[in-house]
């Protein structure tokens, strides 16, 4: 049976006297640092000196210092910088200041699981992974609730690794919504699969194909955009709130019958076989090697050619005009 925790199961006392060094102040770093501080925990922020986030973190009331200095002072080093720079920052600034009994904490397990970071055996290695963007982590905390997290301990040197993990999860508000125990392996492989097969890759490709099908059949692009992209959020919101069957019960009878009978024609067994290939290439390290190689060659430009293709696609050209109509004050 899956192991879960709620807020009442956890005490902050075991980490009340420990200093948590938040490394990075991006979307997750900002949210988690502020939530932890508001929960009464000791927080410092380690950043690149002179970086764009330095003044923001200071203005938010944090004690801000270099990454190296934060790692010297912190008992728990919570690494919340982008995946692809973690290895270099670790080698240059974290590892030289990592002493026995400290904890390395992450919100995504890739760096440890794939060996981008080779951590010593004399520290705790833990993970608290909120299942939502940083903006949601902060918003739900301020609303008195939280964003659920999955949690794991990869290495328990001190015998206190779970106290540290659960304390951070409670401090950022996640335990209010609920925590689920996982492993570093499970988190990485399922996270990458979801991004590639469903949440980002699969859903975006499905929308583009549906749009092209209607436009190629002679329908107005603007109408196609409304039907296959704009309304998708309404359905996803219902699925998230009520489950798949709950969504079916809340759409029209025609939509229910048509979707239940035609959906499997669109997403069929062949699609599932392709999903299995995606998962296998994650599990066997093929995607990791490909991504590292591409990033080493091209850095953040690694996906530019794909983005440029989509920028010129009709769905994006039409979409810009439609979004201006619906949200005139928005900027893209």
């Amino acid at each position: 049976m899956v192991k879960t925790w709620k807020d009442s199961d956890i005490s902050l006392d075991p980490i009340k006297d420990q200093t948590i060094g938040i490394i990075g102040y991006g979307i997750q770093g900002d949210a988690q640092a502020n939530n932890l501080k508001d929960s009464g925990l000791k927080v410092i922020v380690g950043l690149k000196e002179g970086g764009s986030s330095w003044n923001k973190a200071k203005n938010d009331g944090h004690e801000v210092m270099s990454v190296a200095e934060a790692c010297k002072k912190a008992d728990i080093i919570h690494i919340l910088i982008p995946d692809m720079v973690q290895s270099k920052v670790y080698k240059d600034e974290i590892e030289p200041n990592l002493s026995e009994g400290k904890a390395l904490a992450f919100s995504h397990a890739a760096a440890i699981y794939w060996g981008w970071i080779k951590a010593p055996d004399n520290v705790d290695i833990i993970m608290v992974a909120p299942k939502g963007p940083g903006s949601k982590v902060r918003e739900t905390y301020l609303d008195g609730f939280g964003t659920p997290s999955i949690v794991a301990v990869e290495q328990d040197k001190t015998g206190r690794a779970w106290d540290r993990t659960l304390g951070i999860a409670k401090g950022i508000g996640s335990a209010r919504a609920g925590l689920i125990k996982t492993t570093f392996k499970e988190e990485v492989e399922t996270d990458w699969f979801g991004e590639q097969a469903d949440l980002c890759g699969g859903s975006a490709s499905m929308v583009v194909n549906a749009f092209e099908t209607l436009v190629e059949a002679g329908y107005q692009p603007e109408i196609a955009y409304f039907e296959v992209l704009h309304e998708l959020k309404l359905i996803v919101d219902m699925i998230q709130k009520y489950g798949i069957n709950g969504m079916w019960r809340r759409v029209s009878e025609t939509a229910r019958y048509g979707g239940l009978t035609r959906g499997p024609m669109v997403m069929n067994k062949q699609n599932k076989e392709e999903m299995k290939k995606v998962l296998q290439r994650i599990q066997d390290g093929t995607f990791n090697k490909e991504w590292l190689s591409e990033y080493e060659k091209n850095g953040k430009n690694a996906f530019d050619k794909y983005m440029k293709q989509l920028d010129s696609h009709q769905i994006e050209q039409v979409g810009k005009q439609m979004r201006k109509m619906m949200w005139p004050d928005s900027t893209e």
Side-chain angles (χ1 to χ4, degrees), residues 161-231:
W162 273 110
D163 285 339
R164 288 167 153 175
T165 305
L166 297 177
I168 290 173
K170 182 181 177 77
I172 66 172
S174 283
R176 300 171 183 172
L179 310 176
I180 300 176
K181 183 180 181 181
T182 187
T183 64
F184 275 47
K185 178 182 189 297
E186 185 174 59
E187 190 275 336
V188 170
E189 292 178 355
T190 57
D191 183 77
W192 281 8
F193 176 79
E195 291 170 350
Q196 294 173 27
D198 177 14
L199 306 176
C200 303
S203 62
S205 296
M206 179 193 70
V207 167
V208 170
N209 284 340
F211 176 85
E212 289 177 350
T213 299
L214 286 177
V215 172
E216 289 167 8
Y219 299 101
Q220 295 181 77
E222 293 79 5
I223 301 300
Y225 181 89
F226 264 126
E227 293 299 334
V228 306
L229 189 154
H230 179 73
E231 291 190 30

Side-chain angles (χ1 to χ4, degrees), residues 92-109:
D92 293 348
E93 301 183 74
I94 298 174
E95 188 175 32
N97 300 292
L98 189 59
S99 55
E100 183 172 357
K102 294 194 176 192
L104 286 176
F106 300 85
S107 282
H108 181 44

Side-chain angles (χ1 to χ4, degrees), residues 3 29 52 70 84 94 110 157-158 193 222 230 253 276 294:
K3 173 66 176 174
S52 59
M84 304 314 291
I94 298 174
K157 167 63 181 177
T158 65
F193 176 79
E222 293 79 5
H230 179 73
E253 291 181 343
K276 289 180 179 179
E294 192 68 31

